Amino acid sequence: MRRAVALVLLAAPLLGQAERSYGETVRLKIDVGGEERKIALFIPDGAKKGEVFPLLVALPDTRSKAMLELGQWQQPAYDKRFCVFSVDINTSGEKGWHPKEQLEMQRDMEAVTEGMKVAYEEAKKRGIQLDDSATMITGHSGGT
């Protein structure tokens, strides 16, 4: 019985870490060339009204999904106080891209720029600001 209690007491902090929330992920949709794209904006916990955040634009890897890109950035965004934006893109797939896909690439760029505008507006609605002079972009290979 004592062992069971000891195991529960030792495991409790680990369970709390697995469930740790570093902030809120706002999920939105935009229209790009007649196609719906999902976007995501991560806002770290403890954001105060009027607070200004740098923005990291994280373009997806070969899986092309915004939500799959955010997880790796949540703890650093919380610790270092920045927001993270991502958007579904079509030309970062495992097959690579081809020069004939210029329209698709253009639409991906439009998704990024239009999605960022929506993210800035969403932040404003929530009483915070994204600093347009402190915007960074990252991604894998063709994603950037």
Side-chain angles (χ1 to χ4, degrees):
M1 180 69 168
R2 287 183 182 177
R3 286 184 185 167
V5 171
L7 286 175
V8 169
L9 290 175
L10 290 172
L14 296 175
L15 292 173
Q17 288 177 352
E19 296 174 16
R20 171 74 168 106
S21 171
Y22 292 101
E24 177 186 8
T25 300
V26 182
R27 298 174 187 217
L28 302 163
K29 295 178 183 176
I30 59 170
D31 181 88
V32 177
E35 179 184 9
E36 187 176 83
R37 303 280 185 112
K38 294 177 183 175
I39 64 174
L41 175 65
F42 177 78
I43 302 169
D45 271 347
K48 294 174 179 52
K49 188 171 183 160
E51 189 171 355
V52 180
F53 290 94
L55 179 65
L56 175 69
V57 178
L59 298 180
D61 61 14
T62 56
R63 298 171 293 172
S64 305
K65 301 297 181 194
M67 289 305 297
L68 297 176
E69 190 64 24
L70 292 184
Q72 66 182 317
W73 295 109
Q74 290 177 354
Q75 183 177 0
Y78 172 80
D79 291 343
K80 302 296 182 184
R81 308 304 294 159
F82 61 90
C83 289
V84 184
F85 164 79
S86 192
V87 59
D88 289 356
I89 57 176
N90 295 329
T91 57
S92 70
E94 291 179 6
K95 68 178 176 76
W97 57 271
H98 190 275
K100 291 181 182 178
E101 295 177 324
Q102 288 183 357
L103 179 59
E104 290 87 352
M105 287 185 254
Q106 182 179 340
R107 294 262 164 78
D108 280 351
M109 289 301 299
E110 185 180 341
V112 172
T113 56
E114 293 302 311
M116 286 175 63
K117 290 176 189 176
V118 172
Y120 276 81
E121 286 299 315
E122 186 64 28
K124 188 176 180 180
K125 286 180 193 175
R126 292 167 180 274
I128 62 170
Q129 292 181 313
L130 301 176
D131 185 351
D132 61 359
S133 70
T135 301
M136 303 142 291
I137 189 167
T138 186
H140 283 62
S141 187
T144 53

Short mmCIF file of all heavy atoms in Angstrom, two decimals, residues 33-87:
data_model
loop_
_atom_site.label_atom_id
_atom_site.label_comp_id
_atom_site.label_asym_id
_atom_site.label_seq_id
_atom_site.Cartn_x
_atom_site.Cartn_y
_atom_site.Cartn_z
N GLY A 33 -8.05 32.54 -52.60
CA GLY A 33 -8.33 32.06 -53.96
C GLY A 33 -9.49 31.08 -54.02
O GLY A 33 -9.45 30.13 -54.79
N GLY A 34 -10.50 31.31 -53.19
CA GLY A 34 -11.65 30.42 -53.17
C GLY A 34 -11.46 29.15 -52.35
O GLY A 34 -12.32 28.29 -52.32
N GLU A 35 -10.32 29.05 -51.69
CA GLU A 35 -10.01 27.87 -50.87
C GLU A 35 -9.89 28.28 -49.41
O GLU A 35 -9.25 29.28 -49.09
CB GLU A 35 -8.69 27.25 -51.33
CG GLU A 35 -8.26 26.05 -50.55
CD GLU A 35 -6.89 25.53 -50.98
OE1 GLU A 35 -6.20 26.20 -51.77
OE2 GLU A 35 -6.52 24.46 -50.49
N GLU A 36 -10.51 27.52 -48.52
CA GLU A 36 -10.43 27.80 -47.09
C GLU A 36 -9.11 27.30 -46.53
O GLU A 36 -8.69 26.17 -46.80
CB GLU A 36 -11.60 27.11 -46.38
CG GLU A 36 -11.72 27.47 -44.93
CD GLU A 36 -12.94 26.84 -44.29
OE1 GLU A 36 -12.85 25.65 -43.90
OE2 GLU A 36 -13.98 27.52 -44.22
N ARG A 37 -8.44 28.15 -45.76
CA ARG A 37 -7.20 27.78 -45.08
C ARG A 37 -7.38 27.97 -43.59
O ARG A 37 -7.97 28.93 -43.13
CB ARG A 37 -6.03 28.67 -45.53
CG ARG A 37 -5.75 28.69 -47.00
CD ARG A 37 -4.96 27.46 -47.43
NE ARG A 37 -4.61 27.59 -48.83
CZ ARG A 37 -3.39 27.75 -49.29
NH1 ARG A 37 -2.37 27.78 -48.45
NH2 ARG A 37 -3.17 27.86 -50.57
N LYS A 38 -6.81 27.07 -42.82
CA LYS A 38 -6.84 27.18 -41.37
C LYS A 38 -5.59 27.93 -40.93
O LYS A 38 -4.49 27.70 -41.45
CB LYS A 38 -6.87 25.80 -40.73
CG LYS A 38 -8.15 25.05 -41.02
CD LYS A 38 -8.12 23.66 -40.43
CE LYS A 38 -9.38 22.90 -40.80
NZ LYS A 38 -9.32 21.51 -40.33
N ILE A 39 -5.80 28.82 -39.96
CA ILE A 39 -4.68 29.53 -39.37
C ILE A 39 -4.75 29.36 -37.86
O ILE A 39 -5.80 29.03 -37.30
CB ILE A 39 -4.65 31.03 -39.75
CG1 ILE A 39 -5.87 31.78 -39.19
CG2 ILE A 39 -4.56 31.20 -41.25
CD1 ILE A 39 -5.81 33.28 -39.40
N ALA A 40 -3.62 29.57 -37.21
CA ALA A 40 -3.56 29.44 -35.76
C ALA A 40 -2.67 30.53 -35.20
O ALA A 40 -1.62 30.85 -35.78
CB ALA A 40 -3.01 28.07 -35.39
N LEU A 41 -3.10 31.10 -34.10
CA LEU A 41 -2.33 32.11 -33.38
C LEU A 41 -2.20 31.66 -31.94
O LEU A 41 -3.20 31.45 -31.26
CB LEU A 41 -3.05 33.47 -33.45
CG LEU A 41 -2.40 34.59 -32.63
CD1 LEU A 41 -1.02 34.95 -33.18
CD2 LEU A 41 -3.31 35.82 -32.61
N PHE A 42 -0.97 31.50 -31.50
CA PHE A 42 -0.70 31.12 -30.11
C PHE A 42 -0.37 32.38 -29.32
O PHE A 42 0.52 33.15 -29.69
CB PHE A 42 0.46 30.13 -30.02
CG PHE A 42 0.81 29.79 -28.60
CD1 PHE A 42 0.05 28.88 -27.88
CD2 PHE A 42 1.89 30.39 -27.97
CE1 PHE A 42 0.35 28.58 -26.56
CE2 PHE A 42 2.20 30.10 -26.66
CZ PHE A 42 1.43 29.19 -25.95
N ILE A 43 -1.09 32.57 -28.21
CA ILE A 43 -0.87 33.70 -27.31
C ILE A 43 -0.46 33.14 -25.95
O ILE A 43 -1.20 32.34 -25.37
CB ILE A 43 -2.15 34.55 -27.16
CG1 ILE A 43 -2.61 35.05 -28.54
CG2 ILE A 43 -1.93 35.71 -26.20
CD1 ILE A 43 -3.99 35.66 -28.56
N PRO A 44 0.72 33.52 -25.44
CA PRO A 44 1.17 32.94 -24.17
C PRO A 44 0.29 33.35 -23.00
O PRO A 44 -0.30 34.44 -22.99
CB PRO A 44 2.59 33.49 -24.01
CG PRO A 44 2.69 34.66 -24.91
CD PRO A 44 1.67 34.47 -25.99
N ASP A 45 0.19 32.46 -22.01
CA ASP A 45 -0.55 32.75 -20.78
C ASP A 45 -0.01 34.01 -20.12
O ASP A 45 1.18 34.32 -20.21
CB ASP A 45 -0.42 31.59 -19.79
CG ASP A 45 -1.50 30.54 -19.96
OD1 ASP A 45 -2.49 30.80 -20.67
OD2 ASP A 45 -1.35 29.46 -19.37
N GLY A 46 -0.90 34.69 -19.43
CA GLY A 46 -0.50 35.87 -18.67
C GLY A 46 -0.39 37.13 -19.49
O GLY A 46 0.15 38.13 -19.01
N ALA A 47 -0.92 37.12 -20.72
CA ALA A 47 -0.87 38.33 -21.56
C ALA A 47 -1.70 39.42 -20.90
O ALA A 47 -2.84 39.19 -20.52
CB ALA A 47 -1.40 38.02 -22.95
N LYS A 48 -1.10 40.58 -20.75
CA LYS A 48 -1.79 41.70 -20.12
C LYS A 48 -2.33 42.65 -21.18
O LYS A 48 -1.74 42.79 -22.26
CB LYS A 48 -0.82 42.43 -19.20
CG LYS A 48 -0.38 41.60 -18.01
CD LYS A 48 0.68 42.33 -17.21
CE LYS A 48 1.13 41.57 -16.00
NZ LYS A 48 1.55 40.23 -16.19
N LYS A 49 -3.43 43.29 -20.87
CA LYS A 49 -4.03 44.25 -21.79
C LYS A 49 -2.99 45.30 -22.17
O LYS A 49 -2.30 45.84 -21.31
CB LYS A 49 -5.25 44.90 -21.16
CG LYS A 49 -6.01 45.75 -22.13
CD LYS A 49 -7.32 46.22 -21.55
CE LYS A 49 -8.06 46.99 -22.63
NZ LYS A 49 -9.46 47.09 -22.36
N GLY A 50 -2.85 45.53 -23.47
CA GLY A 50 -1.90 46.51 -23.97
C GLY A 50 -0.49 45.97 -24.18
O GLY A 50 0.36 46.66 -24.73
N GLU A 51 -0.24 44.73 -23.76
CA GLU A 51 1.11 44.15 -23.91
C GLU A 51 1.43 43.98 -25.40
O GLU A 51 0.57 43.64 -26.20
CB GLU A 51 1.18 42.81 -23.19
CG GLU A 51 2.59 42.24 -23.11
CD GLU A 51 2.68 41.02 -22.21
OE1 GLU A 51 1.68 40.64 -21.56
OE2 GLU A 51 3.77 40.44 -22.16
N VAL A 52 2.68 44.23 -25.74
CA VAL A 52 3.14 44.12 -27.13
C VAL A 52 4.05 42.90 -27.24
O VAL A 52 4.98 42.74 -26.45
CB VAL A 52 3.90 45.40 -27.56
CG1 VAL A 52 4.37 45.28 -29.00
CG2 VAL A 52 3.02 46.63 -27.38
N PHE A 53 3.77 42.05 -28.23
CA PHE A 53 4.52 40.81 -28.42
C PHE A 53 5.21 40.78 -29.77
O PHE A 53 4.60 41.13 -30.79
CB PHE A 53 3.57 39.61 -28.38
CG PHE A 53 2.98 39.32 -27.04
CD1 PHE A 53 1.74 39.84 -26.69
CD2 PHE A 53 3.65 38.53 -26.12
CE1 PHE A 53 1.18 39.56 -25.46
CE2 PHE A 53 3.09 38.26 -24.88
CZ PHE A 53 1.85 38.77 -24.54
N PRO A 54 6.44 40.29 -29.82
CA PRO A 54 7.03 39.92 -31.11
C PRO A 54 6.21 38.77 -31.69
O PRO A 54 5.52 38.06 -30.96
CB PRO A 54 8.44 39.45 -30.76
CG PRO A 54 8.71 40.01 -29.40
CD PRO A 54 7.38 40.09 -28.72
N LEU A 55 6.29 38.58 -33.00
CA LEU A 55 5.54 37.51 -33.66
C LEU A 55 6.49 36.58 -34.41
O LEU A 55 7.30 37.04 -35.20
CB LEU A 55 4.52 38.10 -34.64
CG LEU A 55 3.68 37.07 -35.41
CD1 LEU A 55 2.78 36.28 -34.45
CD2 LEU A 55 2.85 37.76 -36.47
N LEU A 56 6.36 35.30 -34.14
CA LEU A 56 7.07 34.28 -34.90
C LEU A 56 6.08 33.68 -35.89
O LEU A 56 5.03 33.18 -35.50
CB LEU A 56 7.61 33.18 -33.98
CG LEU A 56 8.27 32.01 -34.71
CD1 LEU A 56 9.57 32.45 -35.35
CD2 LEU A 56 8.50 30.85 -33.77
N VAL A 57 6.41 33.75 -37.17
CA VAL A 57 5.62 33.12 -38.22
C VAL A 57 6.28 31.77 -38.50
O VAL A 57 7.39 31.72 -39.01
CB VAL A 57 5.57 33.99 -39.49
CG1 VAL A 57 4.78 33.29 -40.59
CG2 VAL A 57 4.99 35.35 -39.18
N ALA A 58 5.60 30.70 -38.13
CA ALA A 58 6.16 29.35 -38.24
C ALA A 58 5.44 28.62 -39.38
O ALA A 58 4.29 28.21 -39.23
CB ALA A 58 5.99 28.60 -36.93
N LEU A 59 6.13 28.49 -40.51
CA LEU A 59 5.52 27.80 -41.65
C LEU A 59 5.67 26.30 -41.49
O LEU A 59 6.72 25.81 -41.05
CB LEU A 59 6.16 28.28 -42.95
CG LEU A 59 5.96 29.77 -43.22
CD1 LEU A 59 6.62 30.16 -44.53
CD2 LEU A 59 4.49 30.14 -43.22
N PRO A 60 4.62 25.56 -41.82
CA PRO A 60 4.61 24.12 -41.57
C PRO A 60 5.67 23.33 -42.32
O PRO A 60 6.13 23.73 -43.39
CB PRO A 60 3.21 23.69 -42.03
CG PRO A 60 2.40 24.93 -42.01
CD PRO A 60 3.35 26.04 -42.34
N ASP A 61 5.99 22.17 -41.75
CA ASP A 61 6.90 21.24 -42.39
C ASP A 61 6.14 20.47 -43.47
O ASP A 61 5.08 20.93 -43.94
CB ASP A 61 7.52 20.30 -41.35
CG ASP A 61 6.49 19.45 -40.60
OD1 ASP A 61 5.33 19.37 -41.04
OD2 ASP A 61 6.87 18.85 -39.58
N THR A 62 6.62 19.33 -43.85
CA THR A 62 6.03 18.57 -44.97
C THR A 62 4.61 18.10 -44.70
O THR A 62 3.92 17.68 -45.63
CB THR A 62 6.90 17.35 -45.31
OG1 THR A 62 7.06 16.54 -44.14
CG2 THR A 62 8.26 17.77 -45.82
N ARG A 63 4.16 18.20 -43.46
CA ARG A 63 2.77 17.81 -43.15
C ARG A 63 1.79 18.93 -43.50
O ARG A 63 0.59 18.71 -43.52
CB ARG A 63 2.64 17.39 -41.70
CG ARG A 63 3.51 16.15 -41.39
CD ARG A 63 3.57 15.85 -39.93
NE ARG A 63 4.30 16.93 -39.25
CZ ARG A 63 4.39 17.05 -37.94
NH1 ARG A 63 3.81 16.18 -37.15
NH2 ARG A 63 5.05 18.04 -37.39
N SER A 64 2.28 20.13 -43.73
CA SER A 64 1.52 21.27 -44.26
C SER A 64 0.44 21.83 -43.34
O SER A 64 -0.37 22.64 -43.79
CB SER A 64 0.90 20.92 -45.61
OG SER A 64 1.87 20.47 -46.52
N LYS A 65 0.38 21.44 -42.10
CA LYS A 65 -0.70 21.86 -41.21
C LYS A 65 -0.22 22.83 -40.13
O LYS A 65 0.73 22.54 -39.39
CB LYS A 65 -1.35 20.64 -40.53
CG LYS A 65 -1.93 19.63 -41.50
CD LYS A 65 -3.05 20.23 -42.31
CE LYS A 65 -3.63 19.21 -43.26
NZ LYS A 65 -4.47 19.83 -44.27
N ALA A 66 -0.93 23.94 -40.00
CA ALA A 66 -0.59 24.97 -39.03
C ALA A 66 -0.56 24.42 -37.60
O ALA A 66 0.35 24.70 -36.83
CB ALA A 66 -1.58 26.13 -39.13
N MET A 67 -1.58 23.66 -37.24
CA MET A 67 -1.69 23.18 -35.86
C MET A 67 -0.54 22.25 -35.47
O MET A 67 -0.16 22.19 -34.31
CB MET A 67 -3.03 22.49 -35.64
CG MET A 67 -4.21 23.43 -35.63
SD MET A 67 -4.07 24.79 -34.44
CE MET A 67 -4.02 23.89 -32.90
N LEU A 68 0.01 21.54 -36.44
CA LEU A 68 1.12 20.63 -36.14
C LEU A 68 2.43 21.40 -35.92
O LEU A 68 3.38 20.86 -35.34
CB LEU A 68 1.28 19.62 -37.27
CG LEU A 68 0.10 18.69 -37.49
CD1 LEU A 68 0.34 17.79 -38.71
CD2 LEU A 68 -0.18 17.85 -36.26
N GLU A 69 2.47 22.63 -36.37
CA GLU A 69 3.68 23.43 -36.24
C GLU A 69 3.79 24.13 -34.89
O GLU A 69 4.88 24.42 -34.42
CB GLU A 69 3.72 24.47 -37.37
CG GLU A 69 5.01 25.20 -37.51
CD GLU A 69 6.18 24.31 -37.88
OE1 GLU A 69 6.01 23.24 -38.46
OE2 GLU A 69 7.32 24.71 -37.55
N LEU A 70 2.67 24.41 -34.25
CA LEU A 70 2.67 25.25 -33.05
C LEU A 70 3.24 24.58 -31.79
O LEU A 70 3.84 25.26 -30.96
CB LEU A 70 1.26 25.74 -32.74
CG LEU A 70 0.68 26.74 -33.73
CD1 LEU A 70 -0.67 27.21 -33.24
CD2 LEU A 70 1.60 27.91 -33.95
N GLY A 71 3.04 23.29 -31.64
CA GLY A 71 3.42 22.62 -30.40
C GLY A 71 4.84 22.86 -29.95
O GLY A 71 5.10 23.13 -28.77
N GLN A 72 5.77 22.81 -30.88
CA GLN A 72 7.18 22.97 -30.52
C GLN A 72 7.52 24.39 -30.06
O GLN A 72 8.56 24.60 -29.44
CB GLN A 72 8.06 22.60 -31.71
CG GLN A 72 7.92 23.54 -32.90
CD GLN A 72 8.75 23.11 -34.07
OE1 GLN A 72 9.90 22.73 -33.90
NE2 GLN A 72 8.17 23.18 -35.25
N TRP A 73 6.65 25.34 -30.34
CA TRP A 73 6.94 26.73 -30.02
C TRP A 73 6.23 27.23 -28.76
O TRP A 73 6.51 28.33 -28.28
CB TRP A 73 6.55 27.63 -31.19
CG TRP A 73 7.37 27.38 -32.40
CD1 TRP A 73 6.97 26.77 -33.56
CD2 TRP A 73 8.74 27.70 -32.57
NE1 TRP A 73 8.02 26.69 -34.43
CE2 TRP A 73 9.12 27.25 -33.86
CE3 TRP A 73 9.70 28.31 -31.77
CZ2 TRP A 73 10.41 27.42 -34.35
CZ3 TRP A 73 10.99 28.47 -32.26
CH2 TRP A 73 11.32 28.02 -33.54
N GLN A 74 5.31 26.46 -28.20
CA GLN A 74 4.51 26.98 -27.09
C GLN A 74 5.32 27.30 -25.84
O GLN A 74 5.17 28.38 -25.28
CB GLN A 74 3.37 26.01 -26.79
CG GLN A 74 2.34 25.99 -27.89
CD GLN A 74 1.23 25.00 -27.65
OE1 GLN A 74 1.26 24.21 -26.69
NE2 GLN A 74 0.24 25.01 -28.52
N GLN A 75 6.16 26.37 -25.39
CA GLN A 75 6.94 26.66 -24.19
C GLN A 75 7.93 27.80 -24.42
O GLN A 75 8.00 28.72 -23.59
CB GLN A 75 7.66 25.42 -23.67
CG GLN A 75 8.40 25.71 -22.38
CD GLN A 75 9.07 24.49 -21.77
OE1 GLN A 75 9.00 23.40 -22.31
NE2 GLN A 75 9.72 24.69 -20.64
N PRO A 76 8.70 27.80 -25.53
CA PRO A 76 9.60 28.95 -25.75
C PRO A 76 8.84 30.28 -25.86
O PRO A 76 9.30 31.31 -25.36
CB PRO A 76 10.30 28.63 -27.07
CG PRO A 76 10.18 27.15 -27.22
CD PRO A 76 8.91 26.76 -26.54
N ALA A 77 7.65 30.26 -26.48
CA ALA A 77 6.85 31.50 -26.60
C ALA A 77 6.41 31.98 -25.23
O ALA A 77 6.41 33.19 -24.95
CB ALA A 77 5.65 31.26 -27.51
N TYR A 78 6.03 31.06 -24.38
CA TYR A 78 5.64 31.41 -23.01
C TYR A 78 6.85 31.96 -22.24
O TYR A 78 6.77 33.02 -21.61
CB TYR A 78 5.06 30.19 -22.30
CG TYR A 78 4.80 30.41 -20.84
CD1 TYR A 78 3.65 31.08 -20.42
CD2 TYR A 78 5.70 29.97 -19.87
CE1 TYR A 78 3.40 31.31 -19.07
CE2 TYR A 78 5.45 30.19 -18.53
CZ TYR A 78 4.31 30.85 -18.13
OH TYR A 78 4.08 31.07 -16.80
N ASP A 79 7.96 31.25 -22.31
CA ASP A 79 9.16 31.63 -21.55
C ASP A 79 9.73 32.97 -22.02
O ASP A 79 10.16 33.78 -21.21
CB ASP A 79 10.24 30.55 -21.68
CG ASP A 79 9.89 29.27 -20.95
OD1 ASP A 79 8.98 29.28 -20.07
OD2 ASP A 79 10.50 28.23 -21.27
N LYS A 80 9.76 33.19 -23.32
CA LYS A 80 10.41 34.39 -23.89
C LYS A 80 9.42 35.48 -24.28
O LYS A 80 9.82 36.52 -24.80
CB LYS A 80 11.25 34.00 -25.12
CG LYS A 80 12.33 32.99 -24.84
CD LYS A 80 13.36 33.53 -23.88
CE LYS A 80 14.46 32.49 -23.67
NZ LYS A 80 15.43 32.91 -22.70
N ARG A 81 8.10 35.23 -24.09
CA ARG A 81 7.05 36.22 -24.32
C ARG A 81 6.94 36.67 -25.77
O ARG A 81 7.18 37.81 -26.12
CB ARG A 81 7.23 37.44 -23.41
CG ARG A 81 7.37 37.13 -21.93
CD ARG A 81 6.26 36.32 -21.33
NE ARG A 81 4.99 37.05 -21.32
CZ ARG A 81 3.82 36.47 -21.25
NH1 ARG A 81 3.71 35.17 -21.17
NH2 ARG A 81 2.72 37.19 -21.24
N PHE A 82 6.57 35.72 -26.64
CA PHE A 82 6.24 36.07 -28.02
C PHE A 82 5.04 35.25 -28.46
O PHE A 82 4.71 34.24 -27.86
CB PHE A 82 7.43 35.89 -28.97
CG PHE A 82 7.99 34.49 -29.09
CD1 PHE A 82 7.50 33.60 -30.04
CD2 PHE A 82 9.03 34.07 -28.28
CE1 PHE A 82 8.03 32.32 -30.18
CE2 PHE A 82 9.57 32.79 -28.39
CZ PHE A 82 9.07 31.92 -29.34
N CYS A 83 4.37 35.72 -29.50
CA CYS A 83 3.23 34.99 -30.08
C CYS A 83 3.72 34.21 -31.29
O CYS A 83 4.75 34.54 -31.89
CB CYS A 83 2.13 35.97 -30.50
SG CYS A 83 1.27 36.73 -29.11
N VAL A 84 2.95 33.20 -31.67
CA VAL A 84 3.31 32.35 -32.81
C VAL A 84 2.10 32.27 -33.74
O VAL A 84 0.98 32.04 -33.30
CB VAL A 84 3.71 30.93 -32.37
CG1 VAL A 84 4.19 30.10 -33.57
CG2 VAL A 84 4.79 30.97 -31.29
N PHE A 85 2.36 32.45 -35.02
CA PHE A 85 1.33 32.35 -36.05
C PHE A 85 1.73 31.26 -37.04
O PHE A 85 2.89 31.11 -37.39
CB PHE A 85 1.21 33.68 -36.80
CG PHE A 85 0.47 33.56 -38.10
CD1 PHE A 85 -0.91 33.50 -38.12
CD2 PHE A 85 1.15 33.49 -39.30
CE1 PHE A 85 -1.60 33.38 -39.33
CE2 PHE A 85 0.48 33.36 -40.50
CZ PHE A 85 -0.90 33.31 -40.52
N SER A 86 0.74 30.49 -37.51
CA SER A 86 0.98 29.51 -38.56
C SER A 86 -0.27 29.39 -39.42
O SER A 86 -1.37 29.76 -39.00
CB SER A 86 1.36 28.15 -37.98
OG SER A 86 1.85 27.30 -39.00
N VAL A 87 -0.09 28.89 -40.63
CA VAL A 87 -1.18 28.74 -41.59
C VAL A 87 -0.96 27.46 -42.41
O VAL A 87 0.19 27.09 -42.68
CB VAL A 87 -1.27 29.98 -42.53
CG1 VAL A 87 0.01 30.19 -43.30
CG2 VAL A 87 -2.46 29.90 -43.46
#
